[in-house]
Amino acid sequence: MTQKDGDRSNDITPVAVAGSTRPKSFIDVVSIVQNYFLAEKNGNDLPENLLTLKGKIVISEVGFKGAFVSGLISILLTPFFVGVIERYIPIFGSYEFTLFDQAFAVVLTLSFSMGYSLILASIGRYYIGKLSKRAINWLMAGLTVAGVLKIIIAFVFYNTLYASILEEERVARFLLWFYPQIGYPALNKIYRFLMGVRPVLLTSASFVVLTTFLMITIPWAFIFAASRKTRKMIERERIWR
C-alpha cells in the first residue's frame, strides 16, 4: 500500500514475524531485528502486534540459552582460574606463578561471559525503531534472566562444595579409603591441596557476580552508544536527501 501512485518510499516492506519462523540462533534474531530496522528506517509504520507474544518468547529464549550455556561453563571453570590468580593452582604445571599466568587466567575467566556480551552488543546499531527496540529488549531480557539464574546456581554450587562436600572431616574420611593403596604422604598432600583451594570457592562466587554484572551491562552500554551513532547517521541522510 502506498500513499500515492509512483511514490514507493513508504511501502510496507515484507518483514519476518518472529515466531512464524522460530529463530534458533542469535543470527536468526539479528535477521528479524534487521528487517524491523530497515522497514522502520524507511518510514514504515509497522503494527505493534507484528511482534507477537510467541515472537517475544522465542527471541528471549535465544538470549537465555546462549547466556545460560556460557554461564554454566563459567561456573565450572571460574574456581580453577581464581585458584591460579590466588596462587593455589598452577596453570602451566609450575608453582612459580608469574604475572602472565595470572593475567592469562583472568582473560580466560572473563572470555566466556564477555565474549557472548560483545556478540550481543553488535545488535545495538539497530536499536532505533519501536519494534526493533522491543525485539532487542526481549533478547536482553532473556540474557538478564539467565544471568540471575547463573548467580543463584553458582552460589548454591560453590557453597555446597565449601560447606558440605569439602568439609574437613568428610574429605579426610574419604581419602583414608585409599590407604594403604596410596601412601600417607601422598594422601596428606592431596588433603592439604583441597583445603588450600577450598576458600577459592567463596571468592569464585563473588567473581561470578562481577562477571554477570559486566555481562549484562556491557551490551546495554554498547547498544545505547551504537544506537545514538546510527540515529545521527539517519538524521544526516534525511538532511541530504
Side-chain angles (χ1 to χ4, degrees):
M1 182 182 297
T2 59
Q3 289 183 334
K4 59 182 180 179
D5 294 336
D7 181 6
R8 302 186 62 83
S9 61
N10 288 324
D11 283 0
I12 298 298
T13 306
V15 177
V17 180
S20 59
T21 302
R22 188 181 185 89
K24 297 180 180 179
S25 67
F26 177 73
I27 300 300
D28 294 335
V29 174
V30 171
S31 298
I32 292 171
V33 174
Q34 282 178 328
N35 283 332
Y36 292 159
F37 168 76
L38 291 174
E40 292 176 314
K41 177 185 175 183
N42 292 330
N44 295 320
D45 187 17
L46 301 180
E48 293 186 9
N49 60 1
L50 189 63
L51 182 58
T52 63
L53 176 61
K54 181 180 179 181
K56 296 173 184 176
I57 292 174
V58 295
I59 287 176
S60 64
E61 282 180 359
V62 172
F64 176 86
K65 289 178 181 178
F68 187 68
V69 171
S70 66
L72 290 180
I73 296 174
S74 177
I75 288 173
L76 294 175
L77 295 182
T78 294
F80 171 74
F81 295 130
V82 172
V84 174
I85 296 171
E86 296 190 351
R87 298 175 178 268
Y88 285 113
I89 302 174
I91 192 170
F92 295 118
S94 173
Y95 280 89
E96 295 295 329
F97 295 94
T98 65
L99 182 61
F100 174 79
D101 295 343
Q102 294 175 308
F104 187 72
V106 171
V107 171
L108 288 180
T109 306
L110 295 175
S111 62
F112 297 100
S113 298
M114 297 305 99
Y116 187 72
S117 295
L118 293 176
I119 292 174
L120 281 178
S122 64
I123 205 172
R125 72 189 72 174
Y126 308 119
Y127 195 75
I128 302 295
K130 185 186 299 182
L131 279 181
S132 303
K133 286 183 177 180
R134 188 166 298 177
I136 293 175
N137 287 342
W138 278 95
L139 181 69
M140 291 300 299
L143 170 73
T144 303
V145 172
V148 173
L149 187 58
K150 169 187 171 182
I151 291 175
I152 295 173
I153 293 174
F155 265 84
V156 172
F157 178 64
Y158 293 148
N159 281 280
T160 300
L161 286 177
Y162 179 86
S164 180
I165 296 177
L166 291 181
E167 191 269 331
E168 295 179 1
E169 292 185 7
R170 186 185 297 271
V171 172
R173 289 197 302 267
F174 175 76
L175 291 177
L176 285 176
W177 288 354
F178 299 94
Y179 183 81
Q181 288 80 9
I182 300 177
Y184 179 78
L187 292 176
N188 186 53
K189 186 176 181 180
I190 295 173
Y191 175 82
R192 292 175 61 185
F193 171 78
L194 292 175
M195 292 302 101
V197 300
R198 189 167 171 243
V200 168
L201 296 170
L202 299 181
T203 306
S204 298
S206 301
F207 201 86
V208 166
V209 174
L210 173 63
T211 56
T212 303
F213 174 77
L214 294 175
M215 182 183 71
I216 295 173
T217 55
I218 286 178
W220 276 120
F222 276 88
I223 285 171
F224 286 129
S227 64
R228 290 184 61 184
K229 184 177 180 180
T230 303
R231 189 174 290 107
K232 290 180 180 179
M233 180 188 68
I234 293 174
E235 290 175 355
R236 285 197 299 266
E237 290 178 354
R238 289 174 179 172
I239 291 174
W240 288 101
R241 282 179 181 175

